[in-house]
Structure formats: C-alpha cells, structure tokens
Amino acid sequence: MQKRGVPAPDMALTLQITNESMAFQKRNNHEPDRILARQNQGAESVGLMQFVATAFPSAPRNDVKKWLKFGHLMINGVVTTAFDAPVEPGQWVELNLTRPYVVFRNPRMQMVYEDDDVIVVNKGYGLLSVGTGSLKKEATAYNILKDYVKSVSPSNKIFVVHRLDRATSGLMMFAKNPEAQEAMQHNWRNMVIERKYVAVLEGFVKQDEGAVTSYLGETSQYEVYSSPEPGEGLKPATTRYRVLARGHGYSLVEFSLDTGRKNQIRVHAKEMGHPIVGDRKYGAKASPIGRLALHARTLRFAHPITRRDMRFETPVPQKFLKMVGGIKGSAESPASKEPQQED
C-alpha cells in the first residue's frame, strides 16, 4: 500500500476489502500535525508496543500506552489501539504526536480507502448517495462524508463523482478536491477501468454467460424501459453477465457494464426474464431478504491525480450467498460484515 512520503513500487494497488476500515489521511487542522513514521525493516513481525518502544527509545512507557489507548498510532494507514497488533516486515507505523487520528465510523457506510484526493466507501443499501429536491434533508453518503472531512479540518470539502441507486449497496467514490472531481467526471469512460456488480435473480439463468444490448429510455414516471431499436431519447446500453451460482430457485450473477445508464442492470435483468430479487419496480415477484439484491462489488479506476491503477473488491453479501446456498469452491467468507441499515 502506498504510504505518505514513501516511494511506492510501480505496480497496481489491489485491495480485498474485509471488515477493517482503512484511512489514508493527510491531517490539515489549524495546528499542523507532527507525525513521525518508522518502517519495520526487519525480517520478522513485531508487536506494535514493542516496535514503538524500539523505534522511539526515549519515549516514556506511559506515553506509549496513551498513544495506543487514544488512537495516535497507525499501521500502514490503519489506526489501531491493540498493543500486540503485528507490524509485519516492510510495514510503516505512523505516530501523531499532536492529536489522535480522526477515524471514520458510521453504521450505514464503511470507509474503504482515503488519500488526499479521493475517498472510496462501501455504501449500505437504503442510503441515498446525494440528496435532491425534497430529499435534501435526508441522510446521504455525501453529507456523512462531508461531516467527516470537516471534522479533520473545517476547510475540507467533498465532491460528487458518481452515484449508486438508493437501493443498491457497494463501492462508490468521492473526490476531495475540484481537480480530482473534474478529472474523473470529464473522462469517466477512460478513467474507470472496471465496474462489476453481483445480484441475485429470480429463477435459473440458463446460459452461464452472455450479454444484453438494447436502447434505454425513461418514461414521464421515471421508469426506465428497453427497446431493441434506436429512437429519440434512447441511449445504447450493453450489460455483460456471468452466472456464479444457482440454487433454491435463484441465480447469483456477476454483471459488468460497457455503458453506465440509469437502472441499466435492473432493466436488462428484467429483459433476461429474471428480475433482480426485491426489484418490484422491474418485475420481481418477492423480496425475501427485504432489499434489492444488487451490490456494486468491484471498482477499478486510474487515480485522477497520480494515474495509478486502483482496484477495490468487496465480498459478496452474506444474504446473497445464503439465497443460492453459497458458491462451490469459493473462498468467500460467510461472515462478511455489511453496513447496517435502518428499517
């Protein structure tokens, strides 16, 4: 992982997201933070307290205990308070002598990655990306992150790059400055290398993989519809799919997008004859898990400032796996934690 002030190898950054939140932050409060960084250059793992005592030999033991207790220490960008947390060879420990690190915590959204230019989060279903019109006062991913970055520094801001449907969970990104936002939005198709979703569909999808191509439009009632032929107001859309598992009358399917139209996956799933579980708007018969079974699982993009290859992937939601009886031969954890939701 790339550390602040540490040269990064010329390679793609790939993160498999688990239950741990990651925060890569540049502190910018009115009082400048005094941060000291030390790398484990040994060949063996060392407990954090032992590492700090060795790296900062003049520090009183009571100070080290306070640093641990109140969150002044990070291992490779992750704040930890565990005295025996392992510092693996090559990892960096950062000590903030000025104040505890600000840690993002919210039951409806998980922090996945943060640096000076972008934030990537795992949004829970039922949470709006951005409020509009009469929904401006409702909790949104944007407002939650705005409050967070301002708690680090009142001058900090957050900028919208793209959105996920309220009913869809998963990975989305925000920019932390206008330059990053503009770079992503003005060149979205070239900057975003890969976007994959997983969904549970009603019934058994016969073909193991395939593609749906059509033209999408929207009615005056804001419902998206599909047409096989081009027409006024219609936009071309292609959705590729691959079946991951079948069981109990459902199919777990991975989708990738050649285009990014509103409700594209939902409409094309309906066109396949297998609407997404819980999607009554587009033909689903039931909602056995109380939500739309659609999750933005993979996000890969070129970093808007450094152009570094950034790839993030989350586990398939546990409820999705249970519906189909799991994925044979898969290493997916059955205990993958998801952001909490309001009923």
Side-chain angles (χ1 to χ4, degrees):
M1 299 180 187
Q2 184 177 4
K3 292 300 299 169
R4 297 190 306 275
V6 180
D10 185 16
M11 59 185 295
L13 175 64
T14 299
L15 299 180
Q16 298 290 332
I17 308 308
T18 62
N19 297 341
E20 297 297 327
S21 293
M22 300 184 197
F24 293 71
Q25 303 170 12
K26 179 179 180 180
R27 306 301 166 187
N28 189 28
N29 285 5
H30 296 299
E31 180 185 357
D33 285 6
R34 184 185 174 200
I35 298 176
L36 305 178
R38 299 289 187 273
Q39 186 183 34
N40 181 1
Q41 297 181 340
E44 298 181 357
S45 173
V46 182
L48 179 58
M49 190 165 186
Q50 178 184 346
F51 180 86
V52 172
T54 303
F56 307 99
S58 62
R61 186 175 178 83
N62 284 340
D63 285 354
V64 176
K65 288 181 177 180
K66 289 179 181 178
W67 293 337
L68 282 166
K69 180 178 180 180
F70 295 108
H72 287 255
L73 291 161
M74 292 200 300
I75 301 175
N76 260 35
V78 181
V79 179
T80 181
T81 58
F83 74 94
D84 58 349
V87 182
E88 303 294 343
Q91 290 188 327
W92 286 82
V93 172
E94 290 180 82
L95 166 63
N96 191 333
L97 292 171
T98 308
R99 59 175 62 80
Y101 288 108
V102 177
V103 179
F104 178 85
R105 291 188 178 92
N106 190 280
R108 305 187 70 187
M109 190 165 61
Q110 294 173 343
M111 178 70 70
V112 172
Y113 176 83
E114 178 184 7
D115 61 25
D116 292 341
D117 306 296
V118 299
I119 288 179
V120 178
V121 296
N122 181 16
K123 182 188 82 70
Y125 74 92
L127 178 65
L128 284 169
S129 296
V130 180
T132 57
S134 61
L135 300 176
K136 284 186 177 180
K137 294 183 179 181
E138 189 171 338
T140 66
Y142 171 82
N143 285 334
I144 291 170
L145 289 176
K146 182 181 70 173
D147 291 344
Y148 160 66
V149 298
K150 286 189 175 296
S151 72
V152 177
S153 173
S155 63
N156 285 346
K157 296 181 180 180
I158 203 80
F159 300 86
V160 177
V161 173
H162 69 121
R163 307 185 187 199
L164 284 181
D165 288 346
R166 178 178 190 154
T168 303
S169 60
L171 293 170
M172 63 181 303
M173 68 175 295
F174 290 83
K176 294 178 69 176
N177 53 64
E179 294 77 15
Q181 181 194 37
E182 183 176 355
M184 293 302 300
Q185 288 189 333
H186 287 193
N187 201 20
W188 179 257
R189 294 193 66 176
N190 291 326
M191 298 292 285
V192 178
I193 305 165
E194 181 182 21
R195 293 172 72 190
K196 290 184 178 179
Y197 296 71
V198 287
V200 181
L201 308 189
E202 294 185 343
F204 288 169
V205 178
K206 292 182 180 180
Q207 291 185 319
D208 289 340
E209 58 183 48
V212 180
T213 298
S214 69
Y215 296 86
L216 302 183
E218 189 172 1
T219 69
S220 58
Q221 302 302 314
Y222 306 107
E223 183 172 338
V224 179
Y225 64 93
S226 178
S227 171
E229 302 295 335
E232 185 177 354
L234 299 180
K235 298 179 180 179
T238 297
T239 305
R240 303 185 187 277
Y241 67 88
R242 180 170 67 96
V243 177
L244 302 179
R246 300 178 180 89
H248 309 308
Y250 301 106
S251 299
L252 179 65
V253 180
E254 177 185 82
F255 290 97
S256 60
L257 304 177
D258 285 7
T259 55
R261 311 301 184 195
K262 177 181 177 180
N263 293 171
Q264 178 176 324
I265 294 175
R266 298 166 64 179
V267 175
H268 279 172
K270 176 184 178 181
E271 191 162 318
M272 291 166 61
H274 300 280
I276 297 174
V277 166
D279 195 1
R280 295 187 182 276
K281 182 176 181 179
Y282 293 107
K285 297 177 181 178
S287 182
I289 60 173
R291 61 160 290 187
L292 176 72
L294 178 61
H295 176 78
R297 186 189 188 195
T298 304
L299 177 62
R300 181 184 175 195
F301 58 91
H303 192 284
I305 304 302
T306 68
R307 295 301 190 266
R308 194 179 184 197
D309 189 340
M310 313 287 285
R311 186 180 188 275
F312 304 92
E313 183 169 285
T314 61
V316 176
Q318 182 182 358
K319 290 182 179 180
F320 291 17
L321 293 172
K322 285 184 176 180
M323 291 189 70
V324 297
I327 304 176
K328 292 182 180 180
S330 171
E332 292 288 352
S333 169
S336 300
K337 186 177 180 181
E338 301 170 43
Q340 298 175 15
Q341 311 303 325
E342 293 182 355
D343 295 332

